[in-house]
């Protein structure tokens, strides 16, 4: 009987590990199905020509001349890998994150699948998506226990704004069209208005002398604060532009919430890999 008692903790841990691995497989299969659905709705476009941006505000004309090679086709979809760190609050520890993201440029949509490894056998899995005009976030401990879930109109709007701010990674999506219009501000900034269905939101893009987008600011985004959506100013930063598949994109990004109680720098990532118009999961 004593050997059974001694084996019980081992059997319990083994069962937990096996169930977590099965949960992870189920989670990833669901993500793969959603990615296939996202990509099936994405539509590639025609070759970009200079007349596509000649009527835009001057900093945007600089931007497209700077980042796009001659003869670049409009990107229909993108997939990318990012590695970095996130934290929920100033008093919280930074967590290492490895992630994959899949993007539809037209119509707007994305699926971000991330894993935060807390210990060798302890992890958090996240799926943040904007798909079919709806935003949703799922957070699970060891792919099994739900830690958080967000949806609703505030999430829809915030997710659409995430797609807009990340369009610097797939720049032809920033050309004007059915979902996007631009309003001039000055020689260093312009306002983007993004629409999808009944949703409308806006952000201000800031450009350097070469034309690179360095910062995006919006007051239309929501964050989770004690389980409730809180509207706050959000700032995205973009650095270290490098040429990927002929296109100049930032390879280092960061994000900050501007809050009354002090700014919260909560995310910083490096671009590991990016592919265009390869519409299938990694």
């Amino acid at each position: 009987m004593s050997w059974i008692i001694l084996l019980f903790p081992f059997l319990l841990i083994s069962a937990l590990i096996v169930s977590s691995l099965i949960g992870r497989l189920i989670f990833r299969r669901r993500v793969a199905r959603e990615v296939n659905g996202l990509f099936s709705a994405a539509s590639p476009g025609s070759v970009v020509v200079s007349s596509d941006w000649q009527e835009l505000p001057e900093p945007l004309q600089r931007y497209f001349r700077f980042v796009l090679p001659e003869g670049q086709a409009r990107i229909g979809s993108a997939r990318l890998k990012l590695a970095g760190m996130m934290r929920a609050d100033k008093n919280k520890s930074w967590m290492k994150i490895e992630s994959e993201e899949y993007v539809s440029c037209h119509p707007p949509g994305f699926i971000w699948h991330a894993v935060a490894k807390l210990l060798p056998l302890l992890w958090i899995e996240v799926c943040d998506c904007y798909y079919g005009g709806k935003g949703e976030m799922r957070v699970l401990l060891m792919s099994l226990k739900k830690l958080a879930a967000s949806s609703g109109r505030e999430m829809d709007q915030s997710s659409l704004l995430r797609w807009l701010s990340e369009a610097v990674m797939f720049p032809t999506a920033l050309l004007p069209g059915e979902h996007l219009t631009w309003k001039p501000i000055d020689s260093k900034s312009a306002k983007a208005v993004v629409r999808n269905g009944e949703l409308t939101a806006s952000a201000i893009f800031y450009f350097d002398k070469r034309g690179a987008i360095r910062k995006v600011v919006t007051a239309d985004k929501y964050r989770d604060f004690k389980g409730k959506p809180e509207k706050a100013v959000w700032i995205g930063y973009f650095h270290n532009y490098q040429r990927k598949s002929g296109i100049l994109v930032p390879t280092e990004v960061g994000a900050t919430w501007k809050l009354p109680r002090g700014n919260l720098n909560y995310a910083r990532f490096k671009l590991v890999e990016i592919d265009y118009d390869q519409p299938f999961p990694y």
Side-chain angles (χ1 to χ4, degrees):
M1 193 69 177
S2 59
W3 65 270
I4 296 178
I5 296 173
L6 292 172
L7 280 176
F8 181 76
F10 172 78
L11 294 173
L12 183 63
I13 293 171
S14 298
L16 179 61
I17 291 172
V18 170
S19 61
S20 297
L21 292 174
I22 293 172
R24 191 170 193 177
L25 179 62
I26 293 170
F27 188 95
R28 292 190 173 191
R29 283 182 174 177
R30 177 179 176 180
V31 170
R33 287 196 302 270
E34 292 173 340
V35 169
N36 289 330
L38 177 79
F39 281 159
S40 68
S43 57
S46 57
V47 171
V48 178
V49 293
S50 60
S51 59
D52 291 333
W53 64 72
Q54 283 180 349
E55 302 300 320
L56 291 177
E58 191 272 332
L60 278 155
Q61 295 184 39
R62 288 202 319 272
Y63 170 70
F64 288 118
R65 287 195 300 267
F66 175 61
V67 300
L68 295 181
E70 188 174 350
Q72 173 65 46
R74 289 181 184 250
I75 299 164
S77 63
R79 61 178 194 173
L80 51 155
K81 292 183 178 182
L82 298 157
M85 306 182 78
M86 294 187 72
R87 61 179 178 175
D89 191 78
K90 285 182 179 180
N91 300 320
K92 301 289 185 180
S93 299
W94 287 92
M95 293 188 298
K96 289 185 178 180
I97 306 283
E98 294 181 357
S99 66
E100 301 170 356
E101 187 165 4
Y102 304 92
V103 179
S104 165
C105 297
H106 181 80
F110 70 86
I111 294 170
W112 184 66
H113 175 215
V115 177
K117 294 181 180 179
L118 308 179
L119 293 170
L121 294 176
L122 186 65
W123 67 87
I124 293 174
E125 200 145 15
V126 180
C127 184
D128 185 10
C129 62
Y130 181 74
Y131 178 41
K134 299 293 182 181
E136 181 186 7
M137 180 182 286
R138 306 186 296 271
V139 183
L140 288 86
L141 177 64
M142 298 181 71
S143 310
L144 289 174
K145 180 176 175 55
K146 184 172 74 173
L147 297 179
S150 299
S151 60
R153 188 168 183 83
E154 293 89 353
M155 188 70 192
D156 298 344
Q157 181 165 308
S158 296
S159 298
L160 180 59
L161 281 164
R162 173 173 176 167
W163 175 90
L164 175 64
S165 65
E166 292 181 353
V168 294
M169 298 292 188
F170 35 98
T172 61
L174 291 174
L175 288 164
E178 175 186 354
H179 300 286
L180 185 65
T181 56
W182 288 95
K183 297 181 179 180
I185 297 178
D186 54 35
S187 63
K188 297 181 180 178
S189 61
K191 183 178 182 179
V193 180
V194 61
R195 299 179 178 87
N196 194 24
E198 297 180 355
L199 285 177
T200 301
S202 63
I204 297 176
F205 286 66
Y206 292 85
F207 305 79
D208 66 16
K209 292 181 179 180
R210 294 181 302 168
I213 293 169
R214 292 300 182 186
K215 184 171 68 172
V216 178
V217 180
T218 179
D220 290 346
K221 201 168 183 179
Y222 293 83
R223 68 186 292 264
D224 181 80
F225 180 64
K226 297 182 178 179
K228 294 182 179 180
E230 174 191 60
K231 207 170 190 179
V233 173
W234 180 89
I235 308 170
Y237 298 96
F238 309 96
H239 307 288
N240 193 16
Y241 275 71
Q242 295 181 22
R243 200 168 294 278
K244 304 291 183 181
S245 300
I247 298 172
L248 279 170
V249 296
T251 59
E252 297 177 13
V253 299
T256 296
W257 288 108
K258 190 175 181 181
L259 305 172
R261 48 197 172 273
N263 290 358
L264 171 61
N265 304 314
Y266 72 94
R268 49 185 188 233
F269 282 89
K270 290 186 177 181
L271 179 66
V272 176
E273 184 178 338
I274 188 165
D275 302 300
Y276 299 118
D277 294 313
Q278 296 191 32
F280 44 86
Y282 282 112

